[in-house]
Amino acid sequence: MAKVKVIIAGPRGRMGKEAVNLVTTTENYELAAVLDYKHGGKQLSDIEGFTGISVPVYEDIESCLTDVQANVLIDLTTPEVGMHHTRTALQHGVRPVVGTTGFTKEDLQELETICQEKQIGCIIAPNFAVGAVLMMKFSQMAAKYFGDVEILELHHDQKLDAPSGTAVKTAEMIAEVREKKQQGHPNEKETISGARGANMEGMHIHSVRLPGLIAHQQVMFGSEGQALTIRHDSYNRASFMSGVKLSVDTVMKIDTFVYGLENILE
Ligand code: NAP
């Protein structure tokens, strides 16, 4: 069977390093190139921490995709760059697996349209941890019975986007089943702006950023005399890699746009 040729964008990042390890240690995958805006023209093995991995490093996705034959692009960068990479990969017939978070609804819509036009697979997963996907699914189940919910997401302090993609996705999944309502007292007033967090369809989302954290989320439901808390913790970035592998394997078989790992878990 031919190997799946993979390009990784953001290889020096915390997620990118794990992805390089996944791709270079998986038998039927081949790392074809990496995208790193600081090391264009080098070999990956020239960069600290990647001894022995001799693949070309490109600064720019256009030249990378012109020079390198690849099947899949794994993007683990920043929202703006990730959007550019994903759009360009699709235009070149390369299937994106995107872990980068912070894409807007308009971004997702645009990418879905390109996938439909090109009839090519693309998977965007704000959270590759299987436990986090179950947390979202269990929260959606609970929201049928508990209409009052607050989402507390906690991440390391280098995270660029807030609220997290997972929190937004959780709120979207809850909104599909939850009876619409504005939570809290109708006359509640913030004496310090932002005290009640972000408001999404009447639910509140709170973002905590602290060094030492990785990725954690607590979905808290309350009703008369009872509370239910559903919590997931990722203690390291290796926790995301089984989801990345599942996404790479799946994206090779589909010709549609998928947003969320829950849509490919059996
Ligand atoms: P990180 O450690 O900051 O890594 C981001 C990497 O992207 C860095 O190496 C950065 O390089 C690089 N980068 C920035 N601009 C670039 C460009 N123009 N071209 C190529 N590379 C570029 O962040 P991380 O924790 O690995 O997270 C990466 C992304 O994945 C974030 O969006 C994060 O929210 C998301 N994430 C997703 C999941 C999931 O399960 N889906 C889990 C964790 C994180 P410099 O540092 O040199 O600027």
Side-chain angles (χ1 to χ4, degrees), residues 34 36 38-48 53-59:
V34 297
D36 184 330
K38 288 184 181 161
H39 294 281
K42 292 185 186 167
Q43 290 285 303
L44 186 57
S45 51
D46 298 333
I47 304 174
E48 199 189 329
I53 309 175
S54 292
V55 297
V57 182
Y58 287 85
E59 247 170 63

Side-chain angles (χ1 to χ4, degrees), residues 36-37 47 53-54 64 70 75-76 90 122 124 170 179 187 204 209 217 230 258 264:
D36 184 330
Y37 72 124
I47 304 174
I53 309 175
S54 292
C64 178
D75 192 276
L76 298 160
L90 285 170
C122 171
I124 301 194
T170 308
E179 210 167 295
N187 298 330
H204 292 264
R209 296 291 175 263
Q217 182 168 294
I230 301 170
V258 173
I264 60 169

Side-chain angles (χ1 to χ4, degrees), residues 203-214:
M203 294 173 262
H204 292 264
I205 306 178
H206 310 269
S207 298
V208 175
R209 296 291 175 263
L210 285 173
L213 293 174
I214 304 279

Side-chain angles (χ1 to χ4, degrees), residues 12-15 37-38 77 81 99 101 125-128 159 240:
R12 280 180 298 107
R14 286 157 295 196
M15 285 290 282
Y37 72 124
K38 288 184 181 161
T77 58
V81 174
T101 57
N127 201 321
F128 283 121
K159 185 167 176 60
F240 301 113

Side-chain angles (χ1 to χ4, degrees), residues 60-78:
D60 159 54
I61 186 161
E62 284 285 355
S63 34
C64 178
L65 296 179
T66 307
D67 289 1
V68 176
Q69 283 287 324
N71 307 107
V72 174
L73 166 81
I74 299 178
D75 192 276
L76 298 160
T77 58
T78 61

